[in-house]
Amino acid sequence: DLQRMREKIEEARGGVLFIDEAYFLAPEERKSTPEQKCLETLLTAMENYKDDLTVIFAGYEKEIDTLIKSNPGLKSRMYDHNFVFEDYTDDELMQIFQHLLKKDGLTLIEDAKDALLNRISAARADENFGNARTAENLEQQIMAVLLKKPKDQDIVTKADILATMPPSRSVDLDQLIGLDTVKQELAAFEKRVK
């Protein structure tokens, strides 16, 4: 809301205004929206208080690019100080996941690690991939699976990981003509998961 934006700008003067998921300020189709008014207010403040206010726009790169392109005045005020943080690697996400398990007194057994890497790869293919949030969500899904098991179980198995796999959108590939390479790669992937 516009009033809250003004209050946050005033609070941040002399320091930093950090706006997470800033792409929500991007207007839809150049319509006059509350988000558009907030963005215009922010742009005015960035100009008027340029020596007294630092604004950080955080969010996914593609969406932030859309925000920047939505208003010509925004890019000119950003001074090309753009920092892009790469997504975690699958191994790093596995480490985060194992750390979360450890905090909950759980251990991932060795034979479950390949299934976990495949699960992370499957999550990465989703357009809503959330980087470290993926590890957190997966850990919550594992906790739900473990609730159905005996309470004294403190290990996470391959079966537990596989129980979190999203439902298959199976297609009988053998019924399709061609796609031999795709069929072979999918068969190999399926074998690794099992």
Side-chain angles (χ1 to χ4, degrees):
D1 119 317
L2 190 56
Q3 184 56 37
R4 187 156 183 244
M5 176 61 83
R6 287 182 179 129
E7 290 168 6
K8 292 297 177 186
I9 289 168
E10 285 304 314
E11 286 174 25
R13 287 194 51 200
V16 176
L17 176 60
F18 183 88
I19 304 175
D20 196 14
E21 298 183 352
Y23 39 82
F24 285 114
L25 294 173
E28 295 177 27
E29 302 176 15
R30 304 264 186 223
K31 294 180 181 174
S32 180
T33 64
E35 294 84 3
Q36 175 67 28
K37 289 184 168 88
C38 284
L39 184 58
E40 289 169 2
T41 299
L42 185 57
L43 287 170
T44 300
M46 289 170 71
E47 183 61 33
N48 292 345
Y49 309 128
K50 61 184 165 196
D51 296 328
D52 192 36
L53 176 67
T54 299
V55 179
I56 297 175
F57 294 95
Y60 296 110
E61 185 178 10
K62 186 173 112 183
E63 287 82 355
I64 291 293
D65 284 344
T66 300
L67 170 66
I68 292 169
K69 290 174 184 169
S70 76
N71 188 305
L74 188 55
K75 182 161 180 60
S76 68
R77 288 173 178 81
M78 294 186 74
Y79 313 113
D80 292 324
H81 294 300
N82 299 320
F83 300 95
V84 177
F85 297 95
E86 299 299 321
D87 286 343
Y88 289 112
T89 66
D90 289 354
D91 287 334
E92 290 168 331
L93 288 172
M94 188 156 90
Q95 289 174 15
I96 292 168
F97 177 78
Q98 288 179 292
H99 174 76
L100 294 169
L101 288 180
K102 188 176 181 180
K103 281 177 48 179
D104 287 330
L106 299 169
T107 304
L108 181 71
I109 62 173
E110 197 62 36
D111 80 338
K113 290 184 178 180
D114 283 341
L116 176 59
L117 282 173
N118 286 329
R119 179 67 179 87
I120 289 169
S121 291
R124 187 180 296 282
D126 185 327
E127 68 180 25
N128 296 315
F129 173 69
N131 211 10
R133 192 175 329 115
T134 297
E136 293 170 347
N137 291 343
L138 181 54
E139 197 254 354
Q140 290 173 0
Q141 293 169 11
I142 289 293
M143 297 304 282
V145 168
L146 294 179
L147 284 174
K148 300 173 187 167
K149 296 174 88 171
K151 298 284 185 227
D152 62 341
Q153 182 130 7
D154 62 351
I155 60 170
V156 176
T157 66
K158 180 178 180 177
D160 299 329
I161 300 292
L162 294 177
T164 68
M165 290 295 282
S168 173
R169 295 182 198 137
S170 63
V171 172
D172 188 358
L173 290 178
D174 293 328
Q175 299 299 316
L176 299 175
I177 297 171
L179 302 175
D180 292 332
T181 305
V182 172
K183 292 174 186 177
Q184 291 168 357
E185 288 180 23
L186 287 174
F189 177 75
E190 185 177 358
K191 187 184 274 186
R192 279 196 320 264
V193 170
K194 289 181 181 177

